[in-house]
């Protein structure tokens, strides 16, 4: 009975077939409708703060020099500086990237992920529990 209390409460909403198709087309891997809608709302929240210039999603990363798809696109908040340079950030992965163009920033994010993956998933390196947990996050993020 206790496990039942821990499940999130579910509800039904009415949407048109067109909207349902659009939401369904955004699902990746084992994502649920709830996952997709939460991600959409996160994007709206970012846009409403007025502090960031928007959000872009990283869909692929390097893992040992091979391009792999992420299970869930990684949102990178975009902040535009006065000199028109960009700052891309992601709190979950602790990414902070400065760049001149968006394509440069996305490539830097892929390389940063690759570096972190190599470091934090190395079984021969002793790690604190928080570092090991970050390594698990990295491993669990990628379709292998």
């Amino acid at each position: 009975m206790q496990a039942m209390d821990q499940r999130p409460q579910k509800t039904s909403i009415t949407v048109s077939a067109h909207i349902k198709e659009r939401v369904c087309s955004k699902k990746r891997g084992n994502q649920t409708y709830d996952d997709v809608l939460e991600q959409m709302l996160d994007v709206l929240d970012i846009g409403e703060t007025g502090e960031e210039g928007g959000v872009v999603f990283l869909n692929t990363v390097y893992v040992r020099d091979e391009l792999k798809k992420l299970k869930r696109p990684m949102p990178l908040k975009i902040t535009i500086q006065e000199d028109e340079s960009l700052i891309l950030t992601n709190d979950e992965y602790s990414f902070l990237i400065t760049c001149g163009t968006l394509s440069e920033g996305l490539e830097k994010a892929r390389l940063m992920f690759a570096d972190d993956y190599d470091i934090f998933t190395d079984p021969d390196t002793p790690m604190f529990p928080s570092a090991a947990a970050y390594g698990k996050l990295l491993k669990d993020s990628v379709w292998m």
Side-chain angles (χ1 to χ4, degrees):
M1 196 62 136
Q2 186 180 12
M4 191 176 200
D5 295 336
Q6 294 175 355
R7 288 188 304 199
Q9 186 178 12
K10 295 187 178 197
T11 185
S12 295
I13 59 172
T14 303
V15 296
S16 67
H18 171 72
I19 296 299
K20 182 179 178 184
E21 285 177 29
R22 287 185 64 197
V23 172
C24 187
S25 74
K26 301 299 179 193
K27 289 174 66 174
R28 302 289 182 262
N30 294 328
Q31 281 186 320
T32 64
Y33 286 113
D34 197 55
D35 295 333
V36 174
L37 292 171
E38 183 174 21
Q39 191 173 36
M40 289 176 182
L41 292 172
D42 288 346
V43 172
L44 288 173
D45 289 344
I46 291 167
E48 289 176 353
T49 64
E51 297 170 9
E52 287 86 16
V55 66
V56 65
F57 290 92
L58 184 66
N59 294 298
T60 57
V61 294
Y62 296 112
V63 175
R64 296 185 172 73
D65 296 326
E66 191 176 330
L67 198 59
K68 298 283 188 178
K69 277 188 134 179
L70 289 171
K71 290 180 181 175
R72 194 181 99 233
M74 179 192 302
L76 296 167
K77 295 177 190 176
I78 304 169
T79 303
I80 303 170
Q81 298 297 296
E82 287 181 16
D83 66 357
E84 296 188 15
S85 63
L86 305 173
I87 297 175
L88 306 179
T89 59
N90 179 287
D91 295 336
E92 183 178 14
Y93 293 86
S94 300
F95 280 15
L96 174 64
I97 300 155
T98 59
C99 53
T101 66
L102 199 50
S103 57
E104 175 191 348
L106 290 171
E107 187 62 16
K108 282 184 174 184
R110 285 186 193 96
L111 293 171
M112 185 177 285
F113 188 98
D115 289 344
D116 284 358
Y117 193 93
D118 289 343
I119 294 166
F120 292 98
T121 62
D122 183 357
D124 297 329
T125 304
M127 291 189 204
F128 288 105
S130 59
Y134 182 60
K136 183 175 177 356
L137 170 70
L138 294 168
K139 278 184 182 178
D140 291 347
S141 298
V142 181
W143 291 109
M144 293 303 261

